[in-house]
Amino acid sequence: MDSKEPVNLGKIVGIIHVLAPYFILAKEKIIMFREIIRPFDYWAPALFGAFLVFFGGRFLTTIAAAEAIRLVGVEKLADNAVILWNNFQAGVEAALKDDVPREDRGAQSWTKDKAVRVLRIFLKTLDPKEVQKALEGLYQAMLSLQCRNILATSWPIP
């Protein structure tokens, strides 16, 4: 990448800022729905099994994927996503505070040097232990689904 070529990080941050409230709202709606159907928990396995019957040969691997995600913990996944989002917001705020025009910088275009400086500021504001713990939780969920995919491809059911 040429150092004079502009890096458009502003659009990415803007898209994340636009979509984040919808993800948070979806999480709240899922938790609300879960509380509504809590009295009918004993029906959930039967309905889930009846629904999965129509998937044919993928029945066992689909159950394995659902159980893997359930064992990792859906609430834990949501909490990890919120931790990452809060750290992201803190980093963006710190980077925007530093983006004050200075006379020695000249034009405020996004060059490679400016992108590196903003990234350094962003990374300095993150809590590394918190981010590492949140990423570990998300990685566990990804591995559980990856195990399901390996099982689905290596163990064909006629």
Side-chain angles (χ1 to χ4, degrees):
M1 181 177 194
D2 187 31
S3 64
K4 294 180 182 179
E5 186 177 325
V7 178
N8 198 349
L9 297 176
K11 284 186 180 180
I12 296 170
V13 171
I15 290 170
I16 291 173
H17 274 294
V18 168
L19 294 178
Y22 294 108
F23 286 120
I24 294 170
L25 180 65
K27 176 194 170 206
E28 292 170 357
K29 294 292 183 183
I30 289 170
I31 292 171
M32 185 178 71
F33 178 72
R34 179 78 175 123
E35 290 300 318
I36 291 171
I37 65 167
R38 189 171 297 279
F40 305 103
D41 270 352
Y42 58 90
W43 282 94
L47 293 174
F48 186 65
F51 177 74
L52 290 179
V53 164
F54 297 103
F55 283 104
R58 299 283 183 205
F59 182 73
L60 294 176
T61 56
T62 306
I63 289 177
E67 282 298 310
I69 292 295
R70 189 185 67 79
L71 289 173
V72 169
V74 177
E75 288 85 11
K76 187 171 126 182
L77 288 174
D79 292 341
N80 290 334
V82 168
I83 289 170
L84 289 174
W85 173 249
N86 291 339
N87 275 281
F88 173 77
Q89 280 185 323
V92 168
E93 288 174 13
L96 290 176
K97 283 180 186 176
D98 182 67
D99 199 22
V100 178
R102 295 183 187 159
E103 294 177 17
D104 61 338
R105 289 190 201 155
Q108 288 292 311
S109 64
W110 280 91
T111 62
K112 183 179 178 182
D113 297 332
K114 182 177 179 181
V116 168
R117 189 184 79 251
V118 169
L119 184 62
R120 283 183 182 158
I121 293 168
F122 179 82
L123 292 175
K124 284 181 183 179
T125 59
L126 300 180
D127 181 9
K129 291 187 181 200
E130 207 174 59
V131 171
Q132 181 181 4
K133 189 174 181 181
L135 287 174
E136 284 174 2
L138 294 177
Y139 186 65
Q140 287 174 354
M142 186 193 71
L143 281 178
S144 65
L145 288 177
Q146 186 62 31
C147 290
R148 183 258 179 216
N149 289 338
I150 291 170
L151 181 66
T153 58
S154 65
W155 183 41
I157 300 173

